[in-house]
Amino acid sequence: GMEAARVAALRGHSVELVESSAQLGGKFRFASIPSFKSEGNGLIRWYERQLEKAGVRVTKNYKLLKDDPKAKDADVIIVATGAKEIVPPLPGVEYADFAIPVLCGDVPVQDECTIVGGGLVGCELAIHLAMGGKKPRIVEMAPSLMPTNKPASQVVQAVNEYLERFEIETYVNTRLKEIRPDAIVVERNGAEEVLSTQQTILALGYRADPSLYDSLYAKYGEVYNLGDSRQAKDIMQGIEDAYELSSHL
């Protein structure tokens, strides 16, 4: 959203960026919380400065709906509302916590916890918690960690080095079947196992949420869906897509 607004303004358009929360940056803001990734905050600050220089009007704490006057008055609407965390339809899912509230410090973390989902988010969360003195383990149903949307090789190497340094226990080829208050039930090597845990944290990725786009597209003319609300992807792909779209408006 920030890149689309920046480029559109530089091309001479009058742009308003509407954000439902008190801060810009979307989920990238949460990804920058771990100390070993704090440089991501610099990118958000850079965008804030560039938006101001380009004359973009930024409105925070504002949830835009399909009948909103801002939508009615716009010639073009770009929706970049992000994705929702995947919630598996499993018994006991109500006992689980989720990665973002844990990262933000909104949920207390027990000393021994299990992170379900060994993608980049789950691995980085485990490292972040281990740096804080916790003892996390990672459970992933694929044969290896970080199996989809494979990060750059240097990122994978750095993550694996951190996992080894902090002796983070990992289970691959392990499928979650049930969550209990003090354990999880998994299937591994064709057999069920019960793994005790003080806390279960889900980091199963994100699913595109096009609900606002769908409602606006049905009512207005030139409406575009961008970023994770169209398809969940990494930050660089999102920025490239935003640049390409706004460059042709």
Side-chain angles (χ1 to χ4, degrees), residues 53-212:
K53 288 180 181 178
V56 175
R57 301 186 308 280
V58 177
T59 303
K60 300 176 184 177
N61 294 311
Y62 191 104
K63 189 174 179 62
L64 189 140
L65 303 174
K66 67 176 181 178
D67 295 321
D68 195 289
K70 292 183 185 295
K72 293 179 181 178
D73 294 341
D75 297 315
V76 177
I77 302 171
I78 299 175
V79 180
T81 47
K84 291 183 177 180
E85 286 192 280
I86 293 173
V87 182
L90 292 175
V93 71
E94 67 273 13
Y95 297 121
D97 293 309
F98 290 87
I100 287 179
V102 170
L103 265 175
C104 293
D106 297 334
V107 173
V109 181
Q110 302 300 316
D111 289 335
E112 296 183 359
C113 56
T114 299
I115 298 170
V116 181
L120 187 60
V121 172
C123 290
E124 290 181 343
L125 176 58
I127 295 165
H128 174 65
L129 295 179
M131 284 180 164
K134 307 298 182 182
K135 189 178 179 182
R137 72 154 72 98
I138 299 171
V139 170
E140 167 58 50
M141 70 177 186
S144 63
L145 298 178
M146 297 171 280
T148 59
N149 296 323
K150 200 73 171 178
S153 58
Q154 62 267 34
V155 174
V156 173
Q157 180 180 346
V159 168
N160 283 329
E161 287 175 358
Y162 273 121
L163 293 174
E164 184 176 349
R165 182 189 308 175
F166 288 100
E167 299 180 341
I168 295 172
E169 185 180 21
T170 61
Y171 289 73
V172 296
N173 287 314
T174 304
R175 184 167 67 91
L176 178 67
K177 298 190 70 175
E178 180 185 349
I179 303 171
R180 298 174 182 174
D182 57 357
I184 57 172
V185 181
V186 300
E187 182 178 325
R188 186 165 63 137
N189 299 324
E192 278 195 3
E193 294 182 39
V194 177
L195 304 177
S196 63
T197 183
Q198 295 176 341
Q199 184 178 20
T200 301
I201 303 168
L202 299 181
L204 297 172
Y206 301 92
R207 181 176 289 116
D209 179 18
S211 54
L212 178 60

Side-chain angles (χ1 to χ4, degrees), residues 27-41:
K27 288 184 174 59
F28 187 67
R29 191 171 76 248
F30 308 127
S32 303
I33 290 175
S35 59
F36 56 93
K37 290 191 69 183
S38 59
E39 68 277 2
N41 291 312

